[in-house]
Amino acid sequence: MTMLERKSRVNIHSKLTTVSSRPVGPGKAHPFTALDHAMGLHSLHVVFYYKANIFKDFDLDPSRVSLSDALSLYPPVTGRIVRNGDGNWEVNCNDAGVRIVRASVGTTLDEWLRSADGVEEKDLAVWDDMPEDPINWSPFRIQVNEFEGGGVAIGLSCTHMHADPTCATLLYKSWIDTHRSRSVVHPPVFSRSVIQARPDPNTETSSAAYYAAKSAARAPPSEKMATATFKFSHAAIKRRLMEISENCTSATPFDLLAALFWTRVARLKVKAEGNDYSHSLSVCTDARMVSKENGKPVPLGYYGNALHFSLLSLEQVDGCGLGHVVREVHCHVESIDEEWIRSSIDWLESRKGEGGKYGPPFRMYGPELTCIRMDHMIGPSGPLTYEAGFGEEAEPIHVSYHVRSVEGEGLILVMPSPEGGLARAVTVTLPEKELAELSKDEAILGLDPTFLLSGSVRY
């Protein structure tokens, strides 16, 4: 049975709207930045999986009350998107509310994690694309999915104009902190000063040139894509880092995994196409810990998009040695500085037309293979992603991240793992045939990964 023929195991049975517990004052608006506008073709989806049956009845559960309290910190989340006088998008903070969807899943949680794939996982975070007139459209959706025999998956979806993975994660964690009567550790910060053009802009950088090339790139032929998640243990990553330490003594788990998957994907492309040409990797990092505001890093709670895309190109990737590629990835990541980031913002702002209207959005993820680095989400006590527990015995066992409308060679997300330490979870979206081959790759299997949500992949 094909994916198109398979009946969904997720059954949506009710919808409601949740508003903030404290009304928003009249006339409040949240303008989107040039970077927010550039992300307009994409949407973001995060799914938190829980073994525990954390809800008895969500309609009456205290968690819904705490969600309303948390939403009072985020007026843009409960508002509606409108055009302002310049023709740009902004949020009318009118507290129209967040759509809540409830669903049941016709299988157990363990069976779902074994047998579902990235396509089916989308059913846990059903999404309606933004209509031409979004005045009544909720830009955020929360879907509560209950599995047979216990267990819950909560899907958070939003337009990428509103939030990047860090922002969406901290919004969700604010709900958890509020539910557990704890202080919100990273409250939202709505300052726009850093993510705006400077009085003396600089668009003559390689960073700005890359954004310009990305905006002009033609969409490649569409292919059927598949997604799988590989989980690597602390011990396996530590062992491999020691093995390549002669090449790069300060390599991080991201450097290793980005280089490993890049080289193996490049090998597949050389094998399929018969060409040994230069290869490029688009490295996506979070600018919050690099950009400065009054000499200090931008707060982790900055609300909106703070992603930066940079291009790493090598004449040869396949066959030149993993340690060499790890060193190149490490040096590239370390070289990303405030000027790179600010110049890309300067370029985005320079696209304004007459009257101040921003340029149209374009595919930020692609056409090159894109790798997202989320190391900044690991705090002193472990991954912030996995601190989103509704109680001491109700921590998430897995968190999935997906970006939609990705085009080109594919997407790799290197995320924290619940094990902590050097352990990482890597979610890979590639053309279906490539992913099936990659999942049998000896170099990757040598790190003893655990596979999740890879039901369409044949090993």
PDB file of all heavy atoms in Angstrom, residues 32 44 71 74 76-81 91 97-100 126-127 137-143 155-159 161-164 167-168 171 303:
ATOM      1  N   PHE A  32       6.545  42.567  11.533  1.00  0.00           N
ATOM      2  CA  PHE A  32       7.546  41.569  11.181  1.00  0.00           C
ATOM      3  C   PHE A  32       8.770  42.255  10.591  1.00  0.00           C
ATOM      4  O   PHE A  32       8.666  43.263   9.893  1.00  0.00           O
ATOM      5  CB  PHE A  32       6.980  40.584  10.160  1.00  0.00           C
ATOM      6  CG  PHE A  32       5.949  39.632  10.723  1.00  0.00           C
ATOM      7  CD1 PHE A  32       4.700  39.537  10.145  1.00  0.00           C
ATOM      8  CD2 PHE A  32       6.234  38.853  11.820  1.00  0.00           C
ATOM      9  CE1 PHE A  32       3.756  38.658  10.651  1.00  0.00           C
ATOM     10  CE2 PHE A  32       5.297  37.971  12.334  1.00  0.00           C
ATOM     11  CZ  PHE A  32       4.046  37.870  11.749  1.00  0.00           C
ATOM     12  N   LEU A  44       6.706  25.967  10.325  1.00  0.00           N
ATOM     13  CA  LEU A  44       7.504  25.226  11.301  1.00  0.00           C
ATOM     14  C   LEU A  44       6.584  24.338  12.128  1.00  0.00           C
ATOM     15  O   LEU A  44       5.492  24.766  12.526  1.00  0.00           O
ATOM     16  CB  LEU A  44       8.248  26.210  12.212  1.00  0.00           C
ATOM     17  CG  LEU A  44       9.092  25.632  13.338  1.00  0.00           C
ATOM     18  CD1 LEU A  44      10.248  24.824  12.776  1.00  0.00           C
ATOM     19  CD2 LEU A  44       9.617  26.768  14.223  1.00  0.00           C
ATOM     20  N   LEU A  71      -0.008  32.382  27.279  1.00  0.00           N
ATOM     21  CA  LEU A  71      -0.275  33.170  26.072  1.00  0.00           C
ATOM     22  C   LEU A  71      -0.371  34.656  26.362  1.00  0.00           C
ATOM     23  O   LEU A  71      -0.154  35.488  25.469  1.00  0.00           O
ATOM     24  CB  LEU A  71      -1.565  32.681  25.405  1.00  0.00           C
ATOM     25  CG  LEU A  71      -1.506  31.311  24.736  1.00  0.00           C
ATOM     26  CD1 LEU A  71      -2.883  30.898  24.223  1.00  0.00           C
ATOM     27  CD2 LEU A  71      -0.488  31.291  23.597  1.00  0.00           C
ATOM     28  N   TYR A  74       2.566  36.484  25.269  1.00  0.00           N
ATOM     29  CA  TYR A  74       2.847  36.458  23.838  1.00  0.00           C
ATOM     30  C   TYR A  74       1.684  37.042  23.035  1.00  0.00           C
ATOM     31  O   TYR A  74       0.988  36.313  22.307  1.00  0.00           O
ATOM     32  CB  TYR A  74       3.089  35.018  23.382  1.00  0.00           C
ATOM     33  CG  TYR A  74       4.351  34.376  23.872  1.00  0.00           C
ATOM     34  CD1 TYR A  74       4.396  33.744  25.104  1.00  0.00           C
ATOM     35  CD2 TYR A  74       5.502  34.374  23.090  1.00  0.00           C
ATOM     36  CE1 TYR A  74       5.555  33.117  25.550  1.00  0.00           C
ATOM     37  CE2 TYR A  74       6.665  33.763  23.523  1.00  0.00           C
ATOM     38  CZ  TYR A  74       6.688  33.133  24.762  1.00  0.00           C
ATOM     39  OH  TYR A  74       7.840  32.522  25.197  1.00  0.00           O
ATOM     40  N   PRO A  76       1.565  38.529  20.169  1.00  0.00           N
ATOM     41  CA  PRO A  76       1.560  38.221  18.737  1.00  0.00           C
ATOM     42  C   PRO A  76       1.041  36.816  18.408  1.00  0.00           C
ATOM     43  O   PRO A  76       0.566  36.575  17.304  1.00  0.00           O
ATOM     44  CB  PRO A  76       3.036  38.365  18.330  1.00  0.00           C
ATOM     45  CG  PRO A  76       3.637  39.262  19.358  1.00  0.00           C
ATOM     46  CD  PRO A  76       2.924  38.905  20.626  1.00  0.00           C
ATOM     47  N   VAL A  77       1.149  35.891  19.368  1.00  0.00           N
ATOM     48  CA  VAL A  77       0.743  34.509  19.105  1.00  0.00           C
ATOM     49  C   VAL A  77      -0.767  34.405  18.954  1.00  0.00           C
ATOM     50  O   VAL A  77      -1.276  33.644  18.128  1.00  0.00           O
ATOM     51  CB  VAL A  77       1.258  33.581  20.223  1.00  0.00           C
ATOM     52  CG1 VAL A  77       0.671  32.182  20.090  1.00  0.00           C
ATOM     53  CG2 VAL A  77       2.780  33.528  20.207  1.00  0.00           C
ATOM     54  N   THR A  78      -1.504  35.168  19.740  1.00  0.00           N
ATOM     55  CA  THR A  78      -2.971  35.084  19.702  1.00  0.00           C
ATOM     56  C   THR A  78      -3.595  36.102  18.756  1.00  0.00           C
ATOM     57  O   THR A  78      -4.818  36.178  18.649  1.00  0.00           O
ATOM     58  CB  THR A  78      -3.545  35.301  21.118  1.00  0.00           C
ATOM     59  OG1 THR A  78      -3.123  36.572  21.612  1.00  0.00           O
ATOM     60  CG2 THR A  78      -3.084  34.210  22.066  1.00  0.00           C
ATOM     61  N   GLY A  79      -2.767  36.891  18.061  1.00  0.00           N
ATOM     62  CA  GLY A  79      -3.289  37.900  17.144  1.00  0.00           C
ATOM     63  C   GLY A  79      -3.513  37.362  15.748  1.00  0.00           C
ATOM     64  O   GLY A  79      -3.435  36.156  15.488  1.00  0.00           O
ATOM     65  N   ARG A  80      -3.787  38.266  14.809  1.00  0.00           N
ATOM     66  CA  ARG A  80      -4.038  37.917  13.421  1.00  0.00           C
ATOM     67  C   ARG A  80      -3.174  38.777  12.510  1.00  0.00           C
ATOM     68  O   ARG A  80      -2.936  39.961  12.789  1.00  0.00           O
ATOM     69  CB  ARG A  80      -5.523  38.093  13.075  1.00  0.00           C
ATOM     70  CG  ARG A  80      -6.446  37.140  13.842  1.00  0.00           C
ATOM     71  CD  ARG A  80      -6.197  35.692  13.456  1.00  0.00           C
ATOM     72  NE  ARG A  80      -7.069  34.749  14.157  1.00  0.00           N
ATOM     73  CZ  ARG A  80      -6.708  34.067  15.238  1.00  0.00           C
ATOM     74  NH1 ARG A  80      -5.495  34.232  15.758  1.00  0.00           N
ATOM     75  NH2 ARG A  80      -7.540  33.204  15.800  1.00  0.00           N
ATOM     76  N   ILE A  81      -2.733  38.193  11.395  1.00  0.00           N
ATOM     77  CA  ILE A  81      -1.813  38.855  10.475  1.00  0.00           C
ATOM     78  C   ILE A  81      -2.585  39.762   9.526  1.00  0.00           C
ATOM     79  O   ILE A  81      -3.589  39.353   8.930  1.00  0.00           O
ATOM     80  CB  ILE A  81      -1.007  37.813   9.685  1.00  0.00           C
ATOM     81  CG1 ILE A  81      -0.167  36.966  10.641  1.00  0.00           C
ATOM     82  CG2 ILE A  81      -0.125  38.473   8.641  1.00  0.00           C
ATOM     83  CD1 ILE A  81       0.596  35.845   9.965  1.00  0.00           C
ATOM     84  N   VAL A  91       1.277  41.836  12.935  1.00  0.00           N
ATOM     85  CA  VAL A  91       0.240  41.161  13.706  1.00  0.00           C
ATOM     86  C   VAL A  91      -0.615  42.200  14.412  1.00  0.00           C
ATOM     87  O   VAL A  91      -0.094  43.062  15.132  1.00  0.00           O
ATOM     88  CB  VAL A  91       0.848  40.201  14.749  1.00  0.00           C
ATOM     89  CG1 VAL A  91      -0.268  39.486  15.521  1.00  0.00           C
ATOM     90  CG2 VAL A  91       1.753  39.186  14.077  1.00  0.00           C
ATOM     91  N   GLY A  97      -7.020  34.488  19.549  1.00  0.00           N
ATOM     92  CA  GLY A  97      -6.821  33.158  20.099  1.00  0.00           C
ATOM     93  C   GLY A  97      -6.029  32.211  19.223  1.00  0.00           C
ATOM     94  O   GLY A  97      -5.732  32.485  18.059  1.00  0.00           O
ATOM     95  N   VAL A  98      -5.683  31.071  19.821  1.00  0.00           N
ATOM     96  CA  VAL A  98      -4.918  30.012  19.169  1.00  0.00           C
ATOM     97  C   VAL A  98      -5.835  28.822  18.926  1.00  0.00           C
ATOM     98  O   VAL A  98      -6.599  28.426  19.815  1.00  0.00           O
ATOM     99  CB  VAL A  98      -3.718  29.588  20.045  1.00  0.00           C
ATOM    100  CG1 VAL A  98      -3.038  28.353  19.479  1.00  0.00           C
ATOM    101  CG2 VAL A  98      -2.724  30.733  20.173  1.00  0.00           C
ATOM    102  N   ARG A  99      -5.777  28.233  17.739  1.00  0.00           N
ATOM    103  CA  ARG A  99      -6.579  27.065  17.431  1.00  0.00           C
ATOM    104  C   ARG A  99      -6.020  25.842  18.164  1.00  0.00           C
ATOM    105  O   ARG A  99      -4.823  25.552  18.077  1.00  0.00           O
ATOM    106  CB  ARG A  99      -6.581  26.790  15.934  1.00  0.00           C
ATOM    107  CG  ARG A  99      -7.229  27.863  15.105  1.00  0.00           C
ATOM    108  CD  ARG A  99      -8.756  27.799  15.158  1.00  0.00           C
ATOM    109  NE  ARG A  99      -9.334  28.738  14.205  1.00  0.00           N
ATOM    110  CZ  ARG A  99      -9.722  29.963  14.503  1.00  0.00           C
ATOM    111  NH1 ARG A  99      -9.593  30.416  15.741  1.00  0.00           N
ATOM    112  NH2 ARG A  99     -10.229  30.750  13.573  1.00  0.00           N
ATOM    113  N   ILE A 100      -6.902  25.135  18.846  1.00  0.00           N
ATOM    114  CA  ILE A 100      -6.536  23.895  19.528  1.00  0.00           C
ATOM    115  C   ILE A 100      -7.296  22.754  18.857  1.00  0.00           C
ATOM    116  O   ILE A 100      -8.519  22.807  18.713  1.00  0.00           O
ATOM    117  CB  ILE A 100      -6.894  23.932  21.022  1.00  0.00           C
ATOM    118  CG1 ILE A 100      -6.315  25.188  21.692  1.00  0.00           C
ATOM    119  CG2 ILE A 100      -6.407  22.665  21.716  1.00  0.00           C
ATOM    120  CD1 ILE A 100      -4.813  25.227  21.754  1.00  0.00           C
ATOM    121  N   VAL A 126      -1.416  18.971  11.989  1.00  0.00           N
ATOM    122  CA  VAL A 126      -2.105  19.352  10.756  1.00  0.00           C
ATOM    123  C   VAL A 126      -2.060  20.867  10.583  1.00  0.00           C
ATOM    124  O   VAL A 126      -2.218  21.625  11.547  1.00  0.00           O
ATOM    125  CB  VAL A 126      -3.560  18.850  10.779  1.00  0.00           C
ATOM    126  CG1 VAL A 126      -4.313  19.325   9.553  1.00  0.00           C
ATOM    127  CG2 VAL A 126      -3.579  17.319  10.842  1.00  0.00           C
ATOM    128  N   TRP A 127      -1.876  21.300   9.347  1.00  0.00           N
ATOM    129  CA  TRP A 127      -1.615  22.721   9.092  1.00  0.00           C
ATOM    130  C   TRP A 127      -2.420  23.226   7.916  1.00  0.00           C
ATOM    131  O   TRP A 127      -2.592  22.521   6.921  1.00  0.00           O
ATOM    132  CB  TRP A 127      -0.124  22.907   8.811  1.00  0.00           C
ATOM    133  CG  TRP A 127       0.295  24.319   8.536  1.00  0.00           C
ATOM    134  CD1 TRP A 127       0.763  24.821   7.353  1.00  0.00           C
ATOM    135  CD2 TRP A 127       0.290  25.405   9.447  1.00  0.00           C
ATOM    136  NE1 TRP A 127       1.060  26.156   7.481  1.00  0.00           N
ATOM    137  CE2 TRP A 127       0.783  26.550   8.768  1.00  0.00           C
ATOM    138  CE3 TRP A 127      -0.076  25.549  10.780  1.00  0.00           C
ATOM    139  CZ2 TRP A 127       0.906  27.801   9.360  1.00  0.00           C
ATOM    140  CZ3 TRP A 127       0.052  26.793  11.381  1.00  0.00           C
ATOM    141  CH2 TRP A 127       0.534  27.892  10.676  1.00  0.00           C
ATOM    142  N   TRP A 137      -7.466  33.890  10.197  1.00  0.00           N
ATOM    143  CA  TRP A 137      -6.619  32.691  10.209  1.00  0.00           C
ATOM    144  C   TRP A 137      -5.694  32.700  11.416  1.00  0.00           C
ATOM    145  O   TRP A 137      -5.012  33.690  11.682  1.00  0.00           O
ATOM    146  CB  TRP A 137      -5.819  32.656   8.909  1.00  0.00           C
ATOM    147  CG  TRP A 137      -4.829  31.538   8.776  1.00  0.00           C
ATOM    148  CD1 TRP A 137      -5.091  30.231   8.497  1.00  0.00           C
ATOM    149  CD2 TRP A 137      -3.399  31.649   8.874  1.00  0.00           C
ATOM    150  NE1 TRP A 137      -3.909  29.513   8.413  1.00  0.00           N
ATOM    151  CE2 TRP A 137      -2.867  30.358   8.639  1.00  0.00           C
ATOM    152  CE3 TRP A 137      -2.533  32.712   9.136  1.00  0.00           C
ATOM    153  CZ2 TRP A 137      -1.491  30.110   8.665  1.00  0.00           C
ATOM    154  CZ3 TRP A 137      -1.169  32.466   9.158  1.00  0.00           C
ATOM    155  CH2 TRP A 137      -0.658  31.174   8.918  1.00  0.00           C
ATOM    156  N   SER A 138      -5.666  31.606  12.160  1.00  0.00           N
ATOM    157  CA  SER A 138      -4.789  31.503  13.325  1.00  0.00           C
ATOM    158  C   SER A 138      -3.389  31.114  12.879  1.00  0.00           C
ATOM    159  O   SER A 138      -3.198  30.036  12.312  1.00  0.00           O
ATOM    160  CB  SER A 138      -5.333  30.459  14.306  1.00  0.00           C
ATOM    161  OG  SER A 138      -4.434  30.279  15.387  1.00  0.00           O
ATOM    162  N   PRO A 139      -2.374  31.939  13.124  1.00  0.00           N
ATOM    163  CA  PRO A 139      -1.017  31.615  12.676  1.00  0.00           C
ATOM    164  C   PRO A 139      -0.335  30.570  13.539  1.00  0.00           C
ATOM    165  O   PRO A 139       0.757  30.129  13.225  1.00  0.00           O
ATOM    166  CB  PRO A 139      -0.284  32.966  12.768  1.00  0.00           C
ATOM    167  CG  PRO A 139      -1.019  33.723  13.815  1.00  0.00           C
ATOM    168  CD  PRO A 139      -2.445  33.303  13.716  1.00  0.00           C
ATOM    169  N   PHE A 140      -0.962  30.182  14.652  1.00  0.00           N
ATOM    170  CA  PHE A 140      -0.454  29.119  15.512  1.00  0.00           C
ATOM    171  C   PHE A 140      -1.535  28.069  15.702  1.00  0.00           C
ATOM    172  O   PHE A 140      -2.716  28.394  15.837  1.00  0.00           O
ATOM    173  CB  PHE A 140      -0.040  29.655  16.889  1.00  0.00           C
ATOM    174  CG  PHE A 140       1.297  30.334  16.902  1.00  0.00           C
ATOM    175  CD1 PHE A 140       1.427  31.650  16.467  1.00  0.00           C
ATOM    176  CD2 PHE A 140       2.431  29.678  17.352  1.00  0.00           C
ATOM    177  CE1 PHE A 140       2.652  32.284  16.473  1.00  0.00           C
ATOM    178  CE2 PHE A 140       3.655  30.306  17.356  1.00  0.00           C
ATOM    179  CZ  PHE A 140       3.774  31.615  16.928  1.00  0.00           C
ATOM    180  N   ARG A 141      -1.107  26.798  15.730  1.00  0.00           N
ATOM    181  CA  ARG A 141      -2.018  25.700  16.019  1.00  0.00           C
ATOM    182  C   ARG A 141      -1.356  24.761  17.012  1.00  0.00           C
ATOM    183  O   ARG A 141      -0.154  24.480  16.905  1.00  0.00           O
ATOM    184  CB  ARG A 141      -2.377  24.911  14.760  1.00  0.00           C
ATOM    185  CG  ARG A 141      -3.315  25.637  13.821  1.00  0.00           C
ATOM    186  CD  ARG A 141      -3.615  24.810  12.596  1.00  0.00           C
ATOM    187  NE  ARG A 141      -4.287  23.553  12.947  1.00  0.00           N
ATOM    188  CZ  ARG A 141      -5.345  23.087  12.294  1.00  0.00           C
ATOM    189  NH1 ARG A 141      -5.855  23.768  11.291  1.00  0.00           N
ATOM    190  NH2 ARG A 141      -5.892  21.951  12.633  1.00  0.00           N
ATOM    191  N   ILE A 142      -2.128  24.265  17.963  1.00  0.00           N
ATOM    192  CA  ILE A 142      -1.664  23.244  18.892  1.00  0.00           C
ATOM    193  C   ILE A 142      -2.580  22.036  18.726  1.00  0.00           C
ATOM    194  O   ILE A 142      -3.803  22.167  18.781  1.00  0.00           O
ATOM    195  CB  ILE A 142      -1.692  23.747  20.349  1.00  0.00           C
ATOM    196  CG1 ILE A 142      -0.693  24.897  20.526  1.00  0.00           C
ATOM    197  CG2 ILE A 142      -1.399  22.612  21.325  1.00  0.00           C
ATOM    198  CD1 ILE A 142      -0.751  25.564  21.883  1.00  0.00           C
ATOM    199  N   GLN A 143      -1.989  20.887  18.495  1.00  0.00           N
ATOM    200  CA  GLN A 143      -2.771  19.668  18.300  1.00  0.00           C
ATOM    201  C   GLN A 143      -2.410  18.660  19.380  1.00  0.00           C
ATOM    202  O   GLN A 143      -1.242  18.275  19.531  1.00  0.00           O
ATOM    203  CB  GLN A 143      -2.500  19.074  16.909  1.00  0.00           C
ATOM    204  CG  GLN A 143      -3.349  17.855  16.589  1.00  0.00           C
ATOM    205  CD  GLN A 143      -3.267  17.467  15.124  1.00  0.00           C
ATOM    206  OE1 GLN A 143      -3.170  18.337  14.248  1.00  0.00           O
ATOM    207  NE2 GLN A 143      -3.313  16.177  14.833  1.00  0.00           N
ATOM    208  N   GLY A 155       1.507  18.615  19.046  1.00  0.00           N
ATOM    209  CA  GLY A 155       2.096  19.256  17.885  1.00  0.00           C
ATOM    210  C   GLY A 155       1.875  20.760  17.920  1.00  0.00           C
ATOM    211  O   GLY A 155       0.751  21.220  18.110  1.00  0.00           O
ATOM    212  N   LEU A 156       2.950  21.516  17.764  1.00  0.00           N
ATOM    213  CA  LEU A 156       2.884  22.981  17.685  1.00  0.00           C
ATOM    214  C   LEU A 156       3.284  23.387  16.282  1.00  0.00           C
ATOM    215  O   LEU A 156       4.372  23.042  15.812  1.00  0.00           O
ATOM    216  CB  LEU A 156       3.832  23.611  18.709  1.00  0.00           C
ATOM    217  CG  LEU A 156       4.029  25.122  18.622  1.00  0.00           C
ATOM    218  CD1 LEU A 156       2.731  25.860  18.932  1.00  0.00           C
ATOM    219  CD2 LEU A 156       5.142  25.587  19.559  1.00  0.00           C
ATOM    220  N   SER A 157       2.401  24.095  15.585  1.00  0.00           N
ATOM    221  CA  SER A 157       2.672  24.548  14.225  1.00  0.00           C
ATOM    222  C   SER A 157       2.507  26.052  14.137  1.00  0.00           C
ATOM    223  O   SER A 157       1.648  26.631  14.817  1.00  0.00           O
ATOM    224  CB  SER A 157       1.703  23.879  13.227  1.00  0.00           C
ATOM    225  OG  SER A 157       1.806  22.481  13.268  1.00  0.00           O
ATOM    226  N   CYS A 158       3.308  26.684  13.286  1.00  0.00           N
ATOM    227  CA  CYS A 158       3.172  28.128  13.080  1.00  0.00           C
ATOM    228  C   CYS A 158       3.803  28.512  11.760  1.00  0.00           C
ATOM    229  O   CYS A 158       4.613  27.768  11.184  1.00  0.00           O
ATOM    230  CB  CYS A 158       3.809  28.924  14.221  1.00  0.00           C
ATOM    231  SG  CYS A 158       5.595  28.725  14.374  1.00  0.00           S
ATOM    232  N   THR A 159       3.430  29.677  11.269  1.00  0.00           N
ATOM    233  CA  THR A 159       4.104  30.209  10.108  1.00  0.00           C
ATOM    234  C   THR A 159       5.523  30.613  10.510  1.00  0.00           C
ATOM    235  O   THR A 159       5.753  31.122  11.605  1.00  0.00           O
ATOM    236  CB  THR A 159       3.352  31.428   9.541  1.00  0.00           C
ATOM    237  OG1 THR A 159       4.172  32.060   8.552  1.00  0.00           O
ATOM    238  CG2 THR A 159       3.035  32.444  10.608  1.00  0.00           C
ATOM    239  N   MET A 161       7.187  32.992   9.501  1.00  0.00           N
ATOM    240  CA  MET A 161       7.300  34.442   9.691  1.00  0.00           C
ATOM    241  C   MET A 161       7.267  34.795  11.171  1.00  0.00           C
ATOM    242  O   MET A 161       7.890  35.765  11.609  1.00  0.00           O
ATOM    243  CB  MET A 161       6.156  35.182   8.979  1.00  0.00           C
ATOM    244  CG  MET A 161       6.377  35.415   7.513  1.00  0.00           C
ATOM    245  SD  MET A 161       5.365  36.790   6.887  1.00  0.00           S
ATOM    246  CE  MET A 161       3.713  36.233   7.259  1.00  0.00           C
ATOM    247  N   HIS A 162       6.512  34.031  11.934  1.00  0.00           N
ATOM    248  CA  HIS A 162       6.349  34.310  13.359  1.00  0.00           C
ATOM    249  C   HIS A 162       7.532  33.853  14.195  1.00  0.00           C
ATOM    250  O   HIS A 162       7.901  34.520  15.166  1.00  0.00           O
ATOM    251  CB  HIS A 162       5.095  33.608  13.872  1.00  0.00           C
ATOM    252  CG  HIS A 162       3.919  34.494  14.066  1.00  0.00           C
ATOM    253  ND1 HIS A 162       3.793  35.345  15.136  1.00  0.00           N
ATOM    254  CD2 HIS A 162       2.798  34.661  13.335  1.00  0.00           C
ATOM    255  CE1 HIS A 162       2.633  35.985  15.045  1.00  0.00           C
ATOM    256  NE2 HIS A 162       2.017  35.596  13.960  1.00  0.00           N
ATOM    257  N   ALA A 163       8.070  32.666  13.896  1.00  0.00           N
ATOM    258  CA  ALA A 163       9.001  32.048  14.831  1.00  0.00           C
ATOM    259  C   ALA A 163       9.957  31.113  14.122  1.00  0.00           C
ATOM    260  O   ALA A 163       9.628  30.520  13.093  1.00  0.00           O
ATOM    261  CB  ALA A 163       8.214  31.276  15.896  1.00  0.00           C
ATOM    262  N   ASP A 164      11.152  30.965  14.701  1.00  0.00           N
ATOM    263  CA  ASP A 164      12.101  29.948  14.280  1.00  0.00           C
ATOM    264  C   ASP A 164      12.086  28.827  15.326  1.00  0.00           C
ATOM    265  O   ASP A 164      11.330  28.907  16.300  1.00  0.00           O
ATOM    266  CB  ASP A 164      13.501  30.562  14.079  1.00  0.00           C
ATOM    267  CG  ASP A 164      14.050  31.233  15.336  1.00  0.00           C
ATOM    268  OD1 ASP A 164      13.536  30.962  16.444  1.00  0.00           O
ATOM    269  OD2 ASP A 164      15.000  32.030  15.217  1.00  0.00           O
ATOM    270  N   CYS A 167      12.495  30.025  19.014  1.00  0.00           N
ATOM    271  CA  CYS A 167      11.349  30.802  19.484  1.00  0.00           C
ATOM    272  C   CYS A 167      10.162  29.891  19.767  1.00  0.00           C
ATOM    273  O   CYS A 167       9.501  30.008  20.810  1.00  0.00           O
ATOM    274  CB  CYS A 167      10.983  31.857  18.442  1.00  0.00           C
ATOM    275  SG  CYS A 167       9.586  32.905  18.882  1.00  0.00           S
ATOM    276  N   ALA A 168       9.870  28.951  18.865  1.00  0.00           N
ATOM    277  CA  ALA A 168       8.732  28.052  19.051  1.00  0.00           C
ATOM    278  C   ALA A 168       8.937  27.159  20.266  1.00  0.00           C
ATOM    279  O   ALA A 168       8.003  26.913  21.040  1.00  0.00           O
ATOM    280  CB  ALA A 168       8.531  27.202  17.798  1.00  0.00           C
ATOM    281  N   LEU A 171       8.394  29.223  23.448  1.00  0.00           N
ATOM    282  CA  LEU A 171       6.972  29.469  23.639  1.00  0.00           C
ATOM    283  C   LEU A 171       6.331  28.264  24.325  1.00  0.00           C
ATOM    284  O   LEU A 171       5.591  28.404  25.306  1.00  0.00           O
ATOM    285  CB  LEU A 171       6.298  29.736  22.293  1.00  0.00           C
ATOM    286  CG  LEU A 171       4.767  29.625  22.249  1.00  0.00           C
ATOM    287  CD1 LEU A 171       4.117  30.673  23.135  1.00  0.00           C
ATOM    288  CD2 LEU A 171       4.260  29.732  20.812  1.00  0.00           C
ATOM    289  N   TYR A 303      11.907  37.088  20.384  1.00  0.00           N
ATOM    290  CA  TYR A 303      10.748  36.566  19.665  1.00  0.00           C
ATOM    291  C   TYR A 303      10.848  36.887  18.183  1.00  0.00           C
ATOM    292  O   TYR A 303      10.976  38.060  17.803  1.00  0.00           O
ATOM    293  CB  TYR A 303       9.454  37.162  20.226  1.00  0.00           C
ATOM    294  CG  TYR A 303       8.211  36.610  19.557  1.00  0.00           C
ATOM    295  CD1 TYR A 303       7.603  35.462  20.034  1.00  0.00           C
ATOM    296  CD2 TYR A 303       7.687  37.212  18.423  1.00  0.00           C
ATOM    297  CE1 TYR A 303       6.496  34.928  19.409  1.00  0.00           C
ATOM    298  CE2 TYR A 303       6.574  36.688  17.783  1.00  0.00           C
ATOM    299  CZ  TYR A 303       5.985  35.556  18.274  1.00  0.00           C
ATOM    300  OH  TYR A 303       4.891  35.020  17.643  1.00  0.00           O
TER     301      TYR A 303
END
